Amino acid sequence: MKELWKRKDLLGLQELSSEEIQLILDTADSFKEISLRAIKKVPALRGKTIVNLFLEPSTRTRTSFELAAKRLSADTVNISASASSFTKGETLKDTARNLQALKIDILIMRHSAAGSARFLADILDASVINAGDGAHEHPTQALLDLFTLKQKKGKIKNLNVTIIGDILHSRVARSNIWGLTKLGANVTVAGPATLMPVGIERLGVTVCTDVNKAIKQADAINILRIQMERQKTNLFPSIREYRDLYGIDLEKLKNASKDILVMHPGPINRDVEISSEVADSSYSVILDQVTNGLAVRMAVLYLVAGSAAVLEVN
Amino acid sequence: MDILIKGGRIVDPSQDFDCIADLGINMGKIVACGSGIKEKANKVVDATGLIVVPGLIDMHVHFREPGMEEKETIYTGMRAAAKGGFSSVATMPNTKPATDNEGIVKYILTKTAEKPLINVFPVAAATLARDGKQMTEIGELKKAGAVALSDDGDCITNSALLRRILEYAGSLDMPVLEHCEDPVLSGQGVMNESIMSTILGLKGIPAASEVVMVARDLTLCKMTGSRLHIQHVSSAGSVELIRWAKSKGVPVTAETAPHYLVLTDDDLHSYSTMLKVKPPIGSKHDREELIKAVKDGTIDAIASDHAPHLHAEKDVEFDYAPFGMIGLESSIPLIMETLINPGILDFKDLVRLMSLNPANILGLKGKGSLKRGADGDVTLIDPEKEVVLTKDYFESKSINTPFLNWKCKGAPTSLFVSGKQILKDEKIIG
């Protein structure tokens, strides 16, 4: 398996082939079982140092990466924006070079600036894993979404997947679009026109501003978090209207397939983009996504760590 | 006479001249232009195989002095200009403090005169502190030596104020150079809004940000009848409006920059901050329309918008890097390589766009021409010279250029300013 992975970094799904995506999903499948054990640890990355550099707030992704690293026996360090030298005016490049001087093996970074993961990957010998860079990509989120889809639906090819909400600002949407289209799914993006990025249809997706229409044929919907402050910049008039037109509730799901999957990258705004009934319903696989995220991130860490690591799953 | 430039191909559209001939300079002025000049000269320059043109003028540069001397000084800026074959430049007023009073205009001229290399023509701010609220003392600025007015870097968004500035400056025969951008439409954008900004996840600046202000400016230009010059035109939409306005006799002129003629937003795929510039580099369609516009005269001038920034300022995340790239040294090699060598533009176009028209727009007497009596500013271009734009090629204090290590065929090799040789064999000797 490992020989198939040649990359130092995981920066996005745009640059991955469908084989590489499949490899990560298959590897994740073999890691899933570890978290079900009484002793949830394998020595695969023993002696590796992994730094979590999170310059934007994150609970889920950061915890998931940290647990993934620990279950592979790596040593982990967390750095957050408020506690870092960024507050003292150090540049990202200088921070990264200092980490390099400490001989780290893998840097996991979340940053509000698009392209920042690539910026560091080009400088550092260490592997860089993009845990979200601005509105660019969030590859591990899309990978765990793909993993969950495959787990629940048995396949990805020819599935109809609708991504709903703030596509404009969403790295999750972009990574999902790359991943889903590469694996042969039919992707629709739905939401207000103000939250649709220019030219998105050129990525091979269908654009639909009517959510009811967009979910009708869907095998799965991926509901994006709506940031409350967006209404201040006139991207939509009010939360009330957003909920009414684009929020997913049981009423809207009446027209959808009976076995539709409801996904959400979290954190959810209950009763805004997703009603509580839907979030807690049998349609929802939101917590499965979180569980699967751990296996996917273990797989990614394992693959980028390269040939020095030894797989000792069993 | 002092200098005889012999046997070059003299291209001078001001007198519709394009043939192998000789050029004589005496006491800093052109004294003869024609074939077989027999008069003895103190110094004879063999220009065989070279293109001899009126000294090039870059009407849009940022020399950062006073205030940001770590990026560029007037002296290093002049060296960059000389290296690029420019005998004259117009410096933008976004110095610190802004060039909004006679003192700073005179400071720039004094600094230029301390170690003179080329001609520096200061452009003064149109509003105090360039904050778009109060008109500067335009008459006093003109007396001090400013050649034009601009709040470059910022658009004068208050339409009533721009109207008054146009009327007032027009009465003093001072052109107003406008940076056309609706700052609200641009928002926090960092690149052209397009499929590329969507893929890269970078905030987009819609082309409309420029176009709406061009439309407004053309309307005010028509209304006042005063001369308005639109800076660094970057989009097809602006070209279309300017073409329409010119057809109606509106006294507007316009410039674009080499990077808009050479690059497209597809080039941003690597997130290189060297490509972060305002207005942003447009689409392939924008570039095609801009090339047509420089060819057909809709756009009058090519100016570099030479904007030096420190390496450390650019060596950051794309969002945090400042806008701007240098351009003085690379302008001619790039235009040679991408527009002249493929036959899209000819040397007559080049002189029109980079000497004759800038001289006319800025009212620079004795510039832009090799007629007898004109200033002895002459640029020699070797069309066969192959250059690599390595770090060492640049004289600017900053090297923020996306064209580093580009190979180009055709470069300026000699420059005379008022009859004094400043550049010889691509080296500054002034």
Side-chain angles (χ1 to χ4, degrees):
Chain A
M1 246 186 226
K2 194 160 259 173
E3 299 77 61
L4 298 169
W5 186 264
K6 308 264 189 239
R7 294 175 186 275
K8 174 171 86 76
D9 313 293
L10 177 66
L11 305 179
L13 296 196
Q14 183 189 2
E15 63 205 33
L16 297 192
S17 65
S18 57
E19 289 78 16
E20 287 172 303
I21 294 171
Q22 201 56 59
L23 173 66
I24 297 171
L25 300 181
D26 291 345
T27 310
D29 211 25
S30 61
F31 276 116
K32 201 164 171 4
E33 170 266 340
I34 294 168
S35 295
L36 303 174
R37 297 181 190 176
I39 307 294
K40 302 177 178 61
K41 214 174 178 82
V42 292
L45 297 189
R46 193 166 51 199
K48 297 280 179 186
T49 309
I50 298 179
V51 172
N52 263 324
L53 180 63
F54 274 63
L55 302 175
E56 260 190 349
S58 164
T59 307
R60 188 178 337 264
T61 305
R62 180 168 143 172
T63 308
S64 181
F65 266 116
E66 189 177 356
L67 282 177
K70 289 196 156 125
R71 287 184 187 174
L72 294 169
S73 303
D75 298 313
T76 59
V77 178
N78 289 319
I79 305 172
S80 63
S82 55
S84 74
S85 46
F86 290 95
T87 54
K88 298 177 188 168
E90 191 179 52
T91 64
L92 178 62
K93 185 175 185 176
D94 282 329
T95 300
R97 290 169 73 184
N98 278 277
L99 293 172
Q100 173 108 305
L102 295 169
K103 309 296 177 200
I104 64 165
D105 298 292
I106 299 176
L107 179 69
I108 299 162
M109 185 170 71
R110 154 125 352 149
H111 194 315
S112 61
S116 51
R118 181 185 170 134
F119 175 66
L120 286 196
D122 289 346
I123 302 168
L124 297 182
D125 298 331
S127 294
V128 174
I129 295 174
N130 182 6
D133 62 327
H136 177 225
E137 285 229 40
H138 188 356
T140 57
Q141 177 67 46
L143 288 164
L144 74 88
D145 292 343
L146 293 169
F147 188 91
T148 306
L149 269 176
K150 198 170 178 211
Q151 182 188 44
K152 302 290 177 187
K153 293 285 182 188
K155 60 166 190 173
I156 289 168
K157 198 174 169 66
N158 296 328
L159 283 183
N160 295 322
V161 181
T162 298
I163 306 170
I164 300 169
D166 183 359
I167 314 294
L168 178 63
H169 299 94
S170 178
R171 51 194 172 216
V172 175
R174 284 170 179 76
S175 288
N176 261 282
I177 289 169
W178 293 118
L180 287 164
T181 52
K182 280 172 200 277
L183 296 188
N186 308 311
V187 183
T188 299
V189 290
T194 46
L195 295 175
M196 284 297 158
V198 167
I200 189 80
E201 66 285 350
R202 287 173 61 186
L203 300 184
V205 303
T206 305
V207 179
C208 184
T209 48
D210 179 345
V211 165
N212 287 306
K213 217 187 261 176
I215 64 178
K216 207 161 183 188
Q217 306 294 330
D219 297 300
I221 57 174
N222 201 339
I223 305 170
L224 302 174
R225 177 183 167 77
I226 191 78
Q227 297 215 347
M228 305 292 191
E229 62 269 21
R230 301 283 180 224
Q231 63 177 318
K232 286 184 203 145
T233 47
N234 279 316
L235 287 166
F236 55 88
S238 67
I239 291 293
R240 172 173 175 260
E241 178 156 313
Y242 188 88
R243 180 194 300 121
D244 184 35
L245 295 185
Y246 307 102
I248 300 300
D249 53 20
L250 288 175
E251 182 64 27
K252 287 200 181 74
L253 287 184
K254 271 186 188 162
N255 297 318
S257 157
K258 292 290 160 252
D259 50 4
I260 192 168
L261 288 187
V262 174
M263 305 198 289
H264 191 301
I268 61 173
N269 291 309
R270 281 182 179 271
D271 305 309
V272 181
E273 73 268 3
I274 182 169
S275 75
S276 279
E277 291 81 5
V278 171
D280 301 329
S281 71
S282 58
Y283 302 119
S284 167
V285 292
I286 296 172
L287 294 176
D288 300 82
Q289 289 174 271
V290 177
T291 305
N292 291 336
L294 193 51
V296 163
R297 291 184 174 111
M298 287 170 79
V300 166
L301 290 173
Y302 171 73
L303 288 171
V304 300
S307 54
V310 180
L311 182 59
E312 294 176 47
V313 176
N314 298 309
Chain B
M1 67 181 84
D2 295 332
I3 299 165
L4 182 63
I5 300 172
K6 256 187 109 60
R9 177 180 160 196
I10 298 177
V11 180
D12 181 13
S14 79
Q15 44 186 335
D16 205 13
F17 194 92
D18 183 354
C19 50
I20 308 285
D22 305 335
L23 188 70
I25 307 174
N26 197 37
M27 307 281 283
K29 300 282 181 191
I30 306 290
V31 291
C33 177
S35 36
I37 295 174
K38 295 277 182 270
E39 199 183 328
K40 280 225 155 155
N42 296 335
K43 179 176 171 182
V44 176
V45 176
D46 180 9
T48 308
L50 305 182
I51 313 297
V52 179
V53 299
L56 300 176
I57 301 168
D58 190 331
M59 65 179 297
H60 190 146
V61 303
H62 297 268
F63 279 1
R64 307 298 188 206
E65 188 175 0
M68 292 160 284
E69 291 84 353
E70 74 281 11
K71 299 184 192 216
E72 193 84 288
T73 64
I74 290 167
Y75 180 67
T76 59
M78 287 195 291
R79 287 185 69 93
K83 176 81 182 189
F86 294 95
S87 53
S88 300
V89 296
T91 56
M92 291 303 135
N94 60 341
T95 49
K96 276 188 188 163
T99 310
D100 64 357
N101 63 70
E102 302 147 82
I104 299 191
V105 172
K106 284 179 179 159
Y107 177 87
I108 291 167
L109 294 172
T110 304
K111 279 280 166 184
T112 304
E114 274 175 15
K115 282 190 269 184
L117 276 179
I118 61 150
N119 305 297
V120 172
F121 295 102
V123 173
T127 69
L128 289 174
R130 300 175 50 256
D131 72 357
K133 294 201 176 90
Q134 172 68 48
M135 194 190 296
T136 49
E137 293 177 325
I138 296 170
E140 304 299 332
L141 288 163
K142 183 176 182 177
K143 274 193 214 164
V147 296
L149 300 162
S150 180
D151 274 0
D152 178 49
D154 293 292
C155 184
I156 302 166
T157 53
N158 178 334
S159 303
L161 177 60
L162 179 60
R163 174 206 175 167
R164 296 305 179 202
I165 290 169
L166 281 167
E167 286 172 341
Y168 194 90
S171 71
L172 294 166
D173 201 25
M174 285 276 268
V176 176
L177 323 179
E178 255 272 270
H179 169 122
C180 288
E181 178 186 17
D182 181 334
V184 187
L185 260 180
S186 289
Q188 299 298 306
V190 293
M191 68 170 288
N192 185 41
E193 184 177 283
S194 66
I195 179 67
M196 279 310 286
S197 62
T198 292
I199 290 173
L200 294 171
L202 292 170
K203 287 200 174 68
I205 298 173
S209 174
E210 176 179 276
V211 182
V212 294
M213 280 303 181
V214 168
R216 182 204 65 162
D217 281 25
L218 293 172
T219 307
L220 292 174
C221 181
K222 184 165 184 280
M223 169 188 172
T224 59
S226 295
R227 287 196 292 140
L228 175 80
H229 174 80
I230 297 174
Q231 300 181 294
H232 43 54
V233 173
S234 69
S235 70
S238 302
V239 167
E240 203 180 346
L241 292 180
I242 293 163
R243 189 175 285 132
W244 169 82
K246 286 190 163 188
S247 77
K248 299 286 175 199
V250 177
V252 65
T253 55
E255 75 190 31
T256 189
H259 40 276
Y260 303 117
L261 300 170
V262 173
L263 303 169
T264 68
D265 60 3
D266 283 345
D267 294 308
L268 272 82
H269 59 83
S270 65
Y271 291 94
S272 167
T273 58
M274 295 304 173
L275 295 159
K276 186 174 172 184
V277 63
K278 237 184 194 178
I281 293 162
S283 66
K284 191 163 169 274
H285 174 65
D286 291 318
R287 184 180 68 175
E288 285 165 359
E289 291 304 308
L290 287 165
I291 290 172
K292 277 186 215 159
V294 293
K295 182 72 190 167
D296 74 13
T298 302
I299 288 181
D300 306 86
I302 297 175
S304 71
D305 195 2
H306 180 85
H309 290 294
L310 293 177
H311 179 69
E313 293 177 290
K314 280 285 196 181
D315 197 16
V316 295
E317 299 89 318
F318 197 92
D319 281 348
Y320 305 157
F323 292 96
M325 62 174 79
I326 61 167
L328 277 164
E329 300 97 326
S330 55
S331 280
I332 293 298
L334 284 171
I335 289 166
M336 287 295 302
E337 178 71 23
T338 61
L339 297 170
I340 302 227
N341 296 344
I344 298 165
L345 294 183
D346 57 27
F347 286 107
K348 213 170 112 187
D349 295 322
L350 182 135
V351 176
R352 177 173 56 78
L353 289 157
M354 302 183 74
S355 186
L356 178 61
N357 288 347
N360 288 338
I361 292 165
L362 297 174
L364 308 179
K365 291 195 178 63
K367 309 292 184 200
S369 170
L370 295 175
K371 281 182 188 164
R372 283 182 64 175
D375 293 341
D377 296 355
V378 185
T379 303
L380 273 55
I381 297 170
D382 182 346
E384 300 299 324
K385 180 84 196 176
E386 297 196 14
V387 294
V388 184
L389 302 176
T390 59
K391 270 186 181 180
D392 293 339
Y393 194 85
F394 293 88
E395 291 286 342
S396 172
K397 212 168 176 180
S398 299
I399 314 184
N400 52 306
T401 170
F403 302 113
L404 198 65
N405 297 323
W406 276 42
K407 291 190 180 80
C408 299
K409 189 174 161 194
T413 51
S414 293
L415 176 71
F416 298 84
V417 180
S418 295
K420 186 173 182 231
Q421 188 158 16
I422 298 296
L423 187 74
K424 186 185 179 190
D425 302 328
E426 296 173 83
K427 296 206 169 52
I428 291 161
I429 56 168

